[in-house]
Amino acid sequence: MPFTEVINHRPSRLFVYLAGFFVANALVAELIGVKIFALENTLGLAPWNFNLFGEVGALQFSAGVLLWPVVFVMTDLLNEYYGQRGVRLLSYLTVGLIGYAFVMIFAAIQLSPADWWVAGAQVQGVPDNQAAFRVTFGQGLFIIIGSLLAFLIAQLTDVFVFHRIRRRTGEEKLWLRATGSTLVSQLVDSFVVLYVAFKLGPELFGGVTAPWPWSRILAVATVQYVFKFTMAIVLTPVIYWLHALIDRYLGEEVSAAMRARATIT
C-alpha cells in the first residue's frame, strides 16, 4: 500500500480514530483529576457516610473518573482489533505525552504573569489568577508519578488479561474478555496510584501532608474501584454496539482478519 494511501486505508484510519480518542481522554482525565467532587451532592442526594476499614466519609471522586470509562472502551476495542502491540504502543505513547504535558504546564507556571492578568478575574471571585492557575494545574510530583505508573501498569495488565481470556474462549464471549480485563486492571490502578502518591512518596521524600494510613488507602481505593467496576458492567453493551459498528465499517472479511491477527500479536 503506498504511503499516501494510509489515510484512505480503513484499518489505518480506524487506528487513528481510536488512538486519538484514547490519548485525548487519558490526557484530559489527568488534567481534570485534580478536582474532587461529591457524588451525593451532585445527584441531589443526602450524604452517605460510609464506614470502611475504620474510615468514615462521603462518596467523593476525582473528576478524572468521568473519562476513564471511555479509556476502558478504547482499550478493549484496540485489544480486539490491533492486539497487544497496538495497546502497548499507545500506552507508552500516552504516558510520554501526559508527561510532556505536565512539563509544559510546569514551565507555564514559572512564567511571570502580567500584572493585569493576575487581578483580571476578581469580578468572578478569583482574587489571584496566578495562584489559581498554579493550584489547579500544578499537581504534586508524586501524584503525577503515581498516576502515570498506575495507568501504565493497568494498561499492561489489561492487555495481558484480555488476551489470556481470548486464547481460552476464542472469538466467543466478548463481554468476558472486555469486562474481565477491565475489572482486573482497574483493581491494580485504584490501589497503585493512591499508594505511590499518598503513602510511598510522602514516606520516602516528605510532602505537604502526612502519609496516608493503610485504612484510608484501602477505603478510598475500594470506593473508586466499586465505581469503576459498576461502569465496566454498565458499558458492556456499548462495547458490543461499537464492535458491530466497526465490523460494518471495515467489512466482515477485513474485520475477521484483523481480529484473528490481533490474537497472535
Side-chain angles (χ1 to χ4, degrees):
M1 180 179 63
F3 176 75
T4 54
E5 291 299 313
V6 169
I7 58 174
N8 295 320
H9 184 237
R10 289 198 172 191
S12 298
R13 288 169 61 184
L14 176 63
F15 186 78
V16 172
Y17 297 150
L18 295 178
F21 246 94
F22 181 90
V23 174
N25 278 275
L27 179 56
V28 173
E30 291 287 344
L31 296 179
I32 68 175
V34 68
K35 179 173 182 176
I36 306 299
F37 71 95
L39 181 61
E40 300 99 327
N41 292 344
T42 301
L43 298 177
L45 303 175
W48 175 48
N49 293 317
F50 68 86
N51 188 325
L52 288 174
F53 305 102
E55 296 286 329
V56 178
L59 293 176
Q60 299 175 347
F61 300 92
S62 162
V65 302
L66 298 176
L67 289 173
W68 282 122
V70 181
V71 177
F72 302 162
V73 172
M74 294 300 105
T75 300
D76 290 330
L77 293 175
L78 286 162
N79 264 321
E80 187 72 12
Y81 292 95
Y82 297 96
Q84 299 182 56
R85 292 181 63 188
V87 177
R88 287 172 179 165
L89 170 65
L90 272 181
S91 297
Y92 294 135
L93 175 63
T94 301
V95 168
L97 291 175
I98 292 173
Y100 169 77
F102 278 116
V103 169
M104 292 298 100
I105 287 170
F106 281 120
I109 290 173
Q110 304 310 312
L111 298 175
S112 297
D115 292 338
W116 64 265
W117 179 78
V118 172
Q122 290 183 352
V123 175
Q124 287 78 34
V126 181
D128 187 337
N129 268 336
Q130 173 67 5
F133 186 88
R134 182 176 62 252
V135 170
T136 300
F137 291 105
Q139 299 184 34
L141 178 61
F142 278 98
I143 294 178
I144 297 171
I145 293 174
S147 181
L148 292 180
L149 185 62
F151 170 78
L152 184 57
I153 293 175
Q155 287 300 115
L156 297 179
T157 300
D158 189 287
V159 72
F160 174 78
V161 174
F162 184 97
H163 288 282
R164 285 297 292 269
I165 295 174
R166 190 176 197 171
R167 290 191 185 102
R168 288 180 177 272
T169 61
E171 287 300 309
E172 301 298 324
K173 299 182 180 179
L174 171 61
W175 65 269
L176 181 59
R177 58 181 179 270
T179 306
S181 61
T182 296
L183 296 183
V184 174
S185 65
Q186 291 313 303
L187 180 63
V188 174
D189 178 89
S190 297
F191 284 88
V192 170
V193 63
L194 295 175
Y195 174 69
V196 174
F198 299 108
K199 187 169 181 64
L200 182 62
E203 283 181 346
L204 294 179
F205 301 99
V208 295
T209 60
W212 282 15
W214 277 111
S215 60
R216 186 176 306 162
I217 290 177
L218 292 173
V220 174
T222 299
V223 170
Q224 302 242 24
Y225 179 67
V226 168
F227 172 82
K228 294 175 181 178
F229 184 106
T230 303
M231 290 305 301
I233 301 298
V234 170
L235 288 172
T236 299
V238 177
I239 295 286
Y240 275 90
W241 176 65
L242 291 173
H243 192 280
L245 286 180
I246 290 173
D247 285 348
R248 286 199 295 270
Y249 173 74
L250 295 172
E252 192 59 41
E253 184 177 342
V254 173
S255 176
M258 289 178 64
R259 294 198 305 271
R261 182 175 176 79
T263 63
I264 59 175
T265 58

